[in-house]
């Protein structure tokens, strides 16, 4: 197992600077943010130009990693593959294919994305639509020696009322997507606030986990008593990600049992990357605080990960 992080937490830095910092602070691998170069959505970055990937970009990425003793664990482009706007959906699928092409050129690392959802349609209608549109992307990846993986993030901010915006949030839906040839980028933090035991949920599916996120979550039961499970409704306003009774944390600062989590991965035969996804509001807001958050994560996880 290798310890790394998703580079989206450092959107203001070029890849070379991110890699230099990671190598100097004991990280071994990077999950490269590969969103389109245009756009300013939160928790995204463009450390690899998938939409303009050529021999020069391949050389640049390879050198940045090699010069700092790092490997590449995956490419990250988490977007809504069931977007209700046909033009937007087509653009998303085109970028997924571009990421797959880049991943193939870089040794066949996995590409991470979301199932997504059309919030104006029922879950069952969305699943049927996904069964139509996702297999061509899976096939496109397989033909190039790449595996397409889905993170089990709820993406509640994509739904107008805080419902699931990514239909891959529970074991029931993992089984459905495995049948389509998709794999899992497992993240324990999302399960915690859903009321699902992350360790119990992980254990039967480790063989389909090809990449693992390290992110924690902290809950506030008194606030849940006010807002309910679905979080703020009338007071969400322009902050769709502020649910009011939970928040993401750096590993070790929330309620996920990372000793059991990592041990369960090992017990199931997992030998991929454990990638810190830093979205902790306490250790965010400035580049230096993001660095400190990653340092805390490294101190928490390093004793658990055997190289």
């Amino acid at each position: 197992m290798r310890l790394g992080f998703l580079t989206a937490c450092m959107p203001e830095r070029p890849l070379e600077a991110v890699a230099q910092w990671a190598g100097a602070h004991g990280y071994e691998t990077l999950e490269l943010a590969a969103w389109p170069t245009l756009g300013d959505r939160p928790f995204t970055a463009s450390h690899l130009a998938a939409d303009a990937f050529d021999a020069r970009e391949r050389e640049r990425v390879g050198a940045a990693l090699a010069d700092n003793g790092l490997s590449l664990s995956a490419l990250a482009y988490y977007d809504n593959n069931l977007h209700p706007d046909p033009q937007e959906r087509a653009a998303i699928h085109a970028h997924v294919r571009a990421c797959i092409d880049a991943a193939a050129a870089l040794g066949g690392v996995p590409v991470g994305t979301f199932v997504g959802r059309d919030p104006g349609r029922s879950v069952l209608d969305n699943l049927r639509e996904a069964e139509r549109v996702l297999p061509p992307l899976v096939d496109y990846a397989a033909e190039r020696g790449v595996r397409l993986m889905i993170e089990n993030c709820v993406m509640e901010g994509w739904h107008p009322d805080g419902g699931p915006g990514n239909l891959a949030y529970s074991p029931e839906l993992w089984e459905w997507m495995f049948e389509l040839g998709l794999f899992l980028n497992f993240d324990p933090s999302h399960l915690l606030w859903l009321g699902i035991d992350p360790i119990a949920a992980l254990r039967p599916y480790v063989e389909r986990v090809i990449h693992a996120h390290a992110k924690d979550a902290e809950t506030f039961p008194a606030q849940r008593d006010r807002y309910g499970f679905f979080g703020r409704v009338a007071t969400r306003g322009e902050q769709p990600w502020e649910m009011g009774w939970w928040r993401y944390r750096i590993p070790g600062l929330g309620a996920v049992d990372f000793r059991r989590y990592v041990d369960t991965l090992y017990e199931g035969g997992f030998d991929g990357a454990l990638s810190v996804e830093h979205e902790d509001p306490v250790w965010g807001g400035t580049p230096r605080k993001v660095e400190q958050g990653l340092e805390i994560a490294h101190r928490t996880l390093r004793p658990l990960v055997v190289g």
Side-chain angles (χ1 to χ4, degrees):
M1 197 182 298
R2 294 161 293 143
L3 182 58
F5 64 86
L6 171 56
T7 64
C9 61
M10 294 180 165
E12 76 288 344
R13 307 186 195 194
L15 171 60
E16 292 77 6
V18 175
Q20 184 178 39
W21 188 92
H25 289 82
Y27 282 98
E28 301 162 311
T29 190
L30 290 178
E31 179 186 1
L32 290 189
W35 276 263
T37 51
L38 297 176
D40 58 356
R41 274 179 31 205
F43 310 122
T44 66
S46 301
H47 290 121
L48 177 145
D51 45 3
F53 194 83
D54 55 15
R56 179 181 236 177
E57 179 70 351
R58 176 182 177 179
E59 182 178 351
R60 182 186 76 89
V61 171
L65 296 171
D67 289 351
N68 293 284
L70 300 167
S71 64
L72 176 62
S73 69
L75 300 188
Y77 172 51
Y78 293 96
D79 215 321
N80 186 356
N81 283 288
L82 297 180
H83 198 287
D85 182 273
Q87 290 186 326
E88 185 69 20
R89 183 190 293 190
I92 291 167
H93 290 185
H95 196 75
V96 170
R97 289 191 293 269
C99 288
I100 291 168
D101 290 338
L106 291 166
V109 297
V111 171
T113 189
F114 289 138
V115 171
R117 178 181 184 174
D118 178 344
R121 302 175 67 181
S122 71
V123 169
L124 288 179
D125 283 348
N126 272 275
L127 296 183
R128 300 296 83 80
E129 178 68 0
E131 289 167 1
R132 184 183 70 83
V133 304
L134 292 182
L137 294 175
V138 172
D139 292 344
Y140 187 90
E143 290 164 1
R144 290 154 180 78
V146 172
R147 291 179 290 181
L148 199 59
M149 63 184 184
I150 305 294
E151 184 190 346
N152 57 290
C153 183
V154 184
M155 293 306 290
E156 65 288 343
W158 279 354
H159 191 282
D161 296 316
N166 173 40
L167 298 180
Y169 57 86
S170 68
E172 175 189 20
L173 293 167
W174 303 344
E175 293 171 356
W176 163 82
M177 72 183 195
F178 295 156
E179 294 177 358
L180 303 183
L182 294 159
F183 291 84
L184 182 61
N185 184 10
F186 185 88
D187 188 324
S189 65
H190 307 299
L191 295 162
L192 188 78
W193 69 266
L194 286 173
I196 299 173
D197 180 345
I199 310 306
L202 170 63
R203 188 169 286 114
Y205 303 107
V206 177
E207 64 179 14
R208 298 293 296 190
V209 175
I210 58 173
H211 198 266
H213 273 172
K215 186 165 65 177
D216 215 335
E218 179 182 20
T219 62
F220 305 99
Q223 293 299 314
R224 186 180 58 211
D225 289 342
R226 170 174 173 77
Y227 297 120
F229 172 83
F230 296 105
R232 291 180 176 175
V233 179
T235 57
R236 285 177 75 202
E238 296 181 358
Q239 300 295 327
W241 306 103
E242 295 292 337
M243 304 302 285
W245 69 271
W246 60 269
R247 63 184 179 181
Y248 294 127
R249 299 305 311 270
I250 285 294
L253 300 181
V256 174
D257 187 335
F258 276 88
R259 292 182 63 187
R260 291 181 60 223
Y261 174 39
V262 174
D263 188 56
T264 300
L265 287 169
Y266 274 123
E267 184 179 8
F270 178 80
D271 61 357
L274 183 64
S275 182
V276 177
E277 185 181 18
H278 183 354
E279 295 180 354
D280 187 327
V282 177
W283 294 102
T286 69
R288 179 55 187 146
K289 291 191 78 173
V290 168
E291 290 180 348
Q292 291 171 324
L294 289 171
E295 290 168 5
I296 294 169
H298 187 275
R299 286 197 298 269
T300 298
L301 299 171
R302 182 73 272 172
L304 306 178
V305 177
V306 179

